Amino acid sequence: MSIWYYYYYYMDQQSIGETYLSDPTQFSKPALPSATQLLKDALRFYRAHWQLLVGISALPLAVFIPVILLGEGSPLLLIALVIILIVLMIVSQIALMWAIIHIEESRGIEQAYRHGSRLLPSFLWLILVQSAAMMGGFLLLIIPGIILYIRLAFSSFGLVASDKRGIAAMILSWHLVRGYW
């Protein structure tokens, strides 16, 4: 699991998750658990929810198979299938994040994909803004680009978990990473 999952899951269990998500600057961060504990928690989580996670991940595979089979067919059909596959893979990743973060209120694959589809435009905008910021950092020199990459790594989780959009999700990611790297 990620640092974000740790924050959201464990802090929510302690009824302080909402406080942190609403104003991360006013919160002292707990120490991260050991790598062994994170791995144990992740395996326990996956064992308990494997059907949902595999179901969400299987849909892009169902589109990928025709892309392979029709590889030598009509170029226009192949291009259309590849575009559908790319969009479906992005929506699938958003749906997976949503299902993991909101596992208690998740009612299945359809609901996760509904939320993934709803967040797709905001997710694409966030990736565009985040990429522009990182490219600017890499243009300054390599080190600022690496720092921005790490500080903004959890922006998409901020979008999915707290419904913060664009720069607000990037700021949340910045605060989440602060103190751990």
Side-chain angles (χ1 to χ4, degrees):
M1 300 272 88
S2 65
I3 292 172
W4 181 261
Y5 173 78
Y6 169 75
Y7 272 132
Y8 196 78
Y9 182 75
Y10 286 100
M11 288 184 183
D12 194 47
Q13 299 299 320
Q14 300 169 10
S15 300
I16 54 177
E18 288 302 317
T19 304
Y20 185 79
L21 288 175
S22 63
D23 189 8
T25 60
Q26 303 299 318
F27 187 78
S28 62
K29 297 178 185 178
L32 287 176
S34 67
T36 307
Q37 186 61 43
L38 282 174
L39 185 58
K40 286 178 185 177
D41 290 347
L43 289 173
R44 189 177 322 117
F45 180 84
Y46 289 128
R47 276 191 208 115
H49 305 288
W50 70 271
Q51 292 144 332
L52 176 66
L53 301 176
V54 168
I56 292 171
S57 302
L59 191 56
L61 183 62
V63 174
F64 182 68
I65 292 170
V67 169
I68 291 175
L69 295 176
L70 297 173
E72 295 180 15
S74 167
L76 291 176
L77 178 63
L78 183 62
I79 291 171
L81 283 174
V82 167
I83 291 171
I84 290 169
L85 178 63
I86 291 170
V87 171
L88 191 57
M89 288 174 65
I90 295 170
V91 171
S92 173
Q93 290 303 307
I94 300 168
L96 270 172
M97 282 188 278
W98 187 89
I100 290 170
I101 293 169
H102 300 284
I103 197 68
E104 298 301 322
E105 60 191 77
S106 178
R107 290 189 197 98
I109 298 167
E110 183 182 340
Q111 183 187 26
Y113 269 100
R114 207 173 312 117
H115 283 281
S117 299
R118 182 180 61 83
L119 291 172
L120 180 63
S122 298
F123 185 82
L124 293 174
W125 174 248
L126 175 66
I127 295 301
L128 182 71
V129 172
Q130 185 179 4
S131 298
M134 286 187 283
M135 284 177 27
F138 279 114
L139 287 176
L140 291 174
L141 287 175
I142 300 294
I143 302 301
I146 293 170
I147 291 170
L148 281 172
Y149 177 79
I150 292 169
R151 290 287 183 136
L152 301 177
F154 295 102
S155 298
S156 57
F157 293 100
L159 169 70
V160 174
S162 63
D163 211 26
K164 293 186 183 290
R165 314 279 169 137
I167 294 177
M170 293 168 60
I171 292 170
L172 179 60
S173 175
W174 191 276
H175 288 294
L176 285 172
V177 175
R178 182 187 296 158
Y180 290 109
W181 184 81

